[in-house]
Amino acid sequence: MYTQAMDTMREEGGQPALRTAEEAALQQRFDNRIDAGDFIEAKDWMPDNYRKTLLRQISQHAHSEIVGMLPEGNWITRAPTLKRKAILLAKVQDEGGHGLYLYAAAETLGQSRDQMLDSLHSGKAKYSSIFNYPTLTWADVGTIGWLVDGAAIMNQVPICRCSYAPYARAMIRICREESFHQRQGYDSLLAMMQNGTEAQKAMVQDAVNRWWWPCLMMFGPPDDQSPNSAQGMRWGIKRVSNDTLRQKFVDATVQQAQVLGVSLPDPDLRWNEATQHWDFGTIDWSEFWRVVGGEGPCNRERLAMRVAAWEEGEWVREAALAHSRKQARKEKAA
Amino acid sequence: MSTENEWPLWEVFVRTKAGLDHKHCGSLHAADARMAVQMARDVYTRRQEGSSVWVVRSDQIVASDPGDKDMLFDPAEDKVYRHPTFYKLPDSVDQM
Ligand SMILES: [Fe+2]
Ligand SMILES: [Fe+2]
């Protein structure tokens, strides 16, 4: 899942003055490598702001995967069939795995897992605002797979070419797994639209109506209001602009909606012969900033669940560590 | 927040199928070796990506210093005679 780190971070106050000639040379070498399309590895020299930006983006991406397990996990025990339950379990487990790959990538930049989790739990770190919306019906689960994972794929594919190699490698692994997420969601909605009752069809349409606009917001603010994007592009962290990705997503989704037999809740949606793209209506960015700022429908609930899971698991973490220390002592004594 | 109670970090190597090398694929936290193997299974081989895993405590790995890269690896650059393509042979025996 995606993070809005690049768009929601405050300005860092520009590059600090370089202290020594040696550092200037290192900076020059780093810039050259970025320009040449080289990958940067964990132990390589990198500018402080590059490290900080990545740490923020990767950790927030990891948080998004983990918090993203909650809205769908909510439906595992209520899936309509054993088949859908097994699929949903596998999907939610994948998201947990994605979180782990990404935490591991972020740790290579010098922050511990516990520190990152502490930032999440204290509310200092953000996660993708899409997960602050509720999953009211079973159709929401399919819609998340189709639209939310679909938008995430659009966002994530370009990060497979990120200049920071541990992040790029994690993203390649993740992208390999995401396609199943989107397809199973669409498949589940298709079952309802083709074989379902009128009430079930209406349920799918209602879910699509509620998720459509928040999904378009997942790509972040418009390019002209995304001040950190340029630096991200310069560093090879961001490869494609927010608006370009959003347009790609709309273009890809319109036909899928037609095949599914649902409408998208936008009266301004129409094909533009001149641009060869789908034009779409104005996004309510005040809603986006409200949800990012903590006032979405489920912000408090999601965070409270994460904190509870962490606190209630503490005795398990301690016991496992105590056991391994005891075993190590025994081995030494023997 | 203190980190001394964090489970140690392990590097995970997976052999995708019999006959191939184990390849590094990522890392994870686990309290001990057995748990690390079990978690490596869950995290890195959910779709039959492996037939065997190795786990190694990350702090046990000794790596070359990226600062020494030139010194260590550049001397091989001008030793083209170590490659078979350096030797131009008559066409009739060139499949050698
Ligand atoms: Fe994911
Ligand atoms: Fe996903």
Side-chain angles (χ1 to χ4, degrees), chain A residues 1 65 91 95 98 149 178 181:
Chain A
M1 208 45 55
E65 301 282 353
K91 199 243 182 204
E95 304 300 3
H98 296 177
D149 286 83
E178 286 291 358
H181 297 179

Side-chain angles (χ1 to χ4, degrees), chain A residues 42-119:
Chain A
K43 298 244 164 66
D44 294 343
W45 186 91
M46 61 188 88
D48 259 359
N49 274 350
Y50 178 82
R51 182 186 298 276
K52 262 194 234 158
T53 303
L54 274 168
L55 191 56
R56 180 160 24 202
Q57 172 158 342
I58 304 172
S59 63
Q60 293 188 13
H61 197 159
H63 299 327
S64 300
E65 301 282 353
I66 299 296
V67 177
M69 297 167 81
L70 298 175
E72 289 178 285
N74 188 28
W75 279 90
I76 290 175
T77 56
R78 293 177 289 163
T81 64
L82 187 56
K83 173 184 143 189
R84 294 291 169 196
K85 184 175 184 165
I87 292 171
L88 185 55
L89 261 175
K91 199 243 182 204
V92 173
Q93 191 191 16
D94 272 358
E95 304 300 3
H98 296 177
L100 292 183
Y101 308 154
L102 288 164
Y103 281 127
E107 280 171 271
T108 63
L109 291 161
Q111 200 174 77
S112 77
R113 176 89 49 106
D114 282 4
Q115 282 172 319
M116 288 184 245
L117 290 176
D118 194 38
S119 297

Side-chain angles (χ1 to χ4, degrees), chain B residues 38-39 51 63:
Chain B
Q38 206 156 39
M39 287 175 49
S51 60

Side-chain angles (χ1 to χ4, degrees), chain A residues 15-34:
Chain A
Q15 289 280 100
L18 292 170
R19 282 185 298 272
T20 62
E22 191 196 4
E23 245 180 21
L26 286 167
Q27 173 82 46
Q28 188 57 52
R29 213 174 138 186
F30 173 86
D31 290 343
N32 293 345
R33 289 183 66 189
I34 294 282

Side-chain angles (χ1 to χ4, degrees), chain A residues 29 43-44 90 93-98 100-101 104-105 107 112-115 117-118 169 173 176-177 180-181 310 316-318 320-321 323-325 327, chain B residues 1-9 24-35 39 42-47 49 61 63-67 69-70:
Chain A
R29 213 174 138 186
K43 298 244 164 66
D44 294 343
Q93 191 191 16
D94 272 358
E95 304 300 3
H98 296 177
L100 292 183
Y101 308 154
E107 280 171 271
S112 77
R113 176 89 49 106
D114 282 4
Q115 282 172 319
L117 290 176
D118 194 38
R169 286 193 289 266
R173 197 172 287 283
R176 264 207 301 262
E177 297 178 350
F180 142 63
H181 297 179
W310 178 250
V316 180
R317 295 192 298 276
E318 277 177 7
L321 207 56
H323 175 73
S324 81
R325 281 175 183 155
Q327 293 304 113
Chain B
M1 163 163 289
S2 92
T3 57
E4 85 198 62
N5 281 325
E6 209 170 66
W7 289 349
L9 193 65
H24 182 247
C25 72
S27 50
L28 51 79
H29 288 275
D32 58 35
R34 219 175 66 185
M35 187 195 268
M39 287 175 49
D42 287 344
V43 177
Y44 291 105
T45 64
R46 288 194 301 283
R47 290 179 176 80
E49 293 95 333
I61 290 186
S64 64
D65 184 337
K69 182 175 155 285
D70 297 352

